Amino acid sequence: MWRRYRRTAFVLQAAALTGLPFLEMNGESALRFDIAGLKLHFFGTVIWMNEFHLVLAGCIFLVLLTAAVTVAFGKVWCGWLCPQTVLLELAGWLVNGTSPGRRRVVVEKAVLMFFSAAASFTAISYFVPPSETAERLSAAGTVTAFFVVTGAAVYAVTALFGRSFCRSVCPCSMLQSVLFDGDTMVIAYAPDRGCTGCKRCVKVCPVGLDIRKGTARECIACAECIDACAASTGGRDGMFPVGYRGRVKRPKTFLFGAVALLSGLVLILLVSARPAVDFTVTRDALQGAEGVNSYRYSVRNNGNERLRLSLSVEGPFELIGAADVALEPYGARSGRVMLRALRRARTAVFVLRAGRVRIERRVAFL
Ligand code: SF4
Ligand code: SF4
């Protein structure tokens, strides 16, 4: 039973992880970090480099949510959601699908190499526009090196090391274990429920554990031993020896849940406080003639509408170098303008009009 649910979860996760860079929203990947433009394409919107506090807030929310889920349900992340688990499961399905025979080992290696290359190609598409990935790969540059290193890492995990990373050094697994208490939901063995001694639970364990010796830190909560035990004992009234034990409703769960909820609310507040148009002006270090100051400006369109930009100045100044321009959805523009003082003044006010938005920026004039 649990295997069916896990397979569904893996298929959905694999489809999402593989498809997101290739899925187009507002003309860009649904999820991709644009290294050249220093911006993150995120489900139809753009998060700029200087807005990465939003990404940080999102990561904190996910970590706290994972912690709350772990306190309540144990290592759900390891057994059901971890990308490495998904990779290993998918690789296992592919290898098991190869036909037995004298060349089986060679075929398995070839299948895993192809799988590693496909996973590496997908990883690159999170940084390079998918339409350019093949071309950049053939250019034998940084992208090619990334492809080789990532592909080799995936092959090493799927073909050589398997679960040894989870068992030994995975920090995520160790952190989750720290969150456990006596009531956390874990997969455990109850000797008083008619164990037949068939050892099926041991044979199916991907980590090589014997659940009958107690719940180990290395257990990834995959529930394979529950399915095996249920099949072996006939699943009498759901009372087979291996099963979930624990209590979800308890103060610690509510405390962690509340903290995760609070961080989610902070994230929503930060996102909703984001301006439709971002405008900054700074006085340039390079200055012109006497009575003339130089300024650098940058404008970012955080919406999905094309905007007409108009830059002007208030005060006794002549603005030099500004022109009305269009700014594409989620586009950015930066430039340099000059101010010439028409009479003595210490400050100037730049005014940007973009659609219905009017933004003022006060700057010093020396
Ligand atoms: S003990 Fe059971 S739940 Fe834990 S890893 Fe092994 S098979 Fe999965
Ligand atoms: S699968 Fe169940 S019945 Fe068989 S050895 Fe393991 S705990 Fe005992």
Side-chain angles (χ1 to χ4, degrees):
M1 178 184 77
W2 292 109
R3 175 178 290 180
R4 203 167 62 233
Y5 293 145
R6 278 179 84 233
R7 286 198 165 190
T8 307
F10 293 151
V11 168
L12 291 176
Q13 200 180 344
L17 288 175
T18 310
L20 282 175
F22 301 93
L23 178 70
E24 279 206 2
M25 296 177 86
N26 285 333
E28 284 291 350
S29 299
L31 187 63
R32 179 169 62 80
F33 183 69
D34 179 351
I35 295 174
L38 290 181
K39 55 189 179 182
L40 177 71
H41 295 286
F42 187 76
F43 296 97
T45 188
V46 166
I47 296 173
W48 303 90
M49 196 63 182
N50 70 342
E51 292 180 311
F52 258 58
H53 60 283
L54 295 177
V55 177
L56 182 64
C59 291
I60 290 173
F61 167 65
L62 288 178
V63 168
L64 291 174
L65 183 65
T66 305
V69 170
T70 302
V71 167
F73 300 107
K75 288 190 174 176
V76 175
W77 166 261
C78 291
W80 295 68
L81 298 169
C82 172
Q84 180 169 289
T85 294
V86 177
L87 271 179
L88 286 168
E89 290 286 335
L90 293 180
W93 299 349
L94 286 173
V95 165
N96 290 337
T98 56
S99 56
R102 275 194 304 131
R103 293 178 175 272
R104 183 179 174 118
V105 176
V106 179
V107 173
E108 276 182 13
K109 284 187 176 162
V111 165
L112 287 179
M113 275 183 191
F114 179 79
F115 176 74
S116 305
S120 181
F121 187 88
T122 306
I124 290 172
S125 301
Y126 276 92
F127 302 97
V128 174
S131 58
E132 298 173 20
T133 307
E135 185 189 333
R136 299 250 196 121
L137 264 179
S138 57
T142 312
V143 174
T144 316
F146 183 91
F147 175 77
V148 172
V149 171
T150 310
V154 174
Y155 183 80
V157 166
T158 52
L160 305 175
F161 300 125
R163 288 279 170 202
S164 49
F165 180 80
C166 312
R167 289 179 66 112
S168 52
V169 289
C170 177
C172 195
S173 168
M174 291 179 192
L175 276 175
Q176 288 182 90
S177 301
V178 169
L179 292 168
F180 277 31
D181 61 28
D183 288 324
T184 300
M185 193 77 80
V186 292
I187 292 168
Y189 170 69
D192 55 340
R193 291 191 176 177
C195 174
T196 61
C198 67
K199 290 193 178 178
R200 279 208 209 177
C201 53
V202 184
K203 286 177 199 144
V204 297
C205 180
V207 190
L209 301 173
D210 185 345
I211 189 70
R212 298 170 303 167
K213 293 180 180 168
T215 307
R217 183 192 69 76
E218 296 89 344
C219 173
I220 59 166
C222 66
E224 289 286 338
C225 51
I226 299 182
D227 284 349
C229 189
S232 170
T233 57
R236 290 188 302 269
D237 307 321
M239 292 293 283
F240 28 90
V242 183
Y244 279 104
R245 312 274 184 272
R247 194 162 56 92
V248 173
K249 291 182 189 168
R250 58 193 204 279
K252 190 173 174 182
T253 311
F254 291 123
L255 177 67
F256 274 76
V259 173
L261 186 66
L262 193 65
S263 74
L265 290 175
V266 170
L267 178 62
I268 291 171
L269 278 177
L270 287 174
V271 171
S272 55
R274 199 178 181 221
V277 177
D278 218 0
F279 174 46
T280 56
V281 186
T282 51
R283 192 166 172 277
D284 203 341
L286 292 170
Q287 291 300 318
E290 182 70 24
V292 175
N293 277 198
S294 173
Y295 298 87
R296 288 199 169 275
Y297 71 90
S298 80
V299 187
R300 289 198 315 258
N301 181 1
N302 291 332
N304 60 1
E305 285 179 15
R306 199 164 188 261
L307 295 174
R308 188 89 202 150
L309 301 181
S310 160
L311 189 61
S312 59
V313 67
E314 287 182 351
F317 300 99
E318 180 191 357
L319 180 60
I320 305 164
D324 289 6
V325 289
L327 191 56
E328 297 300 319
Y330 303 109
R333 174 172 285 273
S334 57
R336 198 166 165 219
V337 289
M338 306 261 201
L339 287 187
R340 177 183 291 124
L342 302 176
R343 59 174 188 274
R344 195 176 167 76
R346 284 289 181 206
T347 57
V349 178
F350 280 96
V351 178
L352 178 84
R353 289 183 181 80
R356 290 185 297 276
V357 177
R358 182 183 188 280
I359 306 172
E360 291 184 2
R361 293 286 180 261
R362 190 172 292 273
V363 293
F365 187 91
L366 303 178

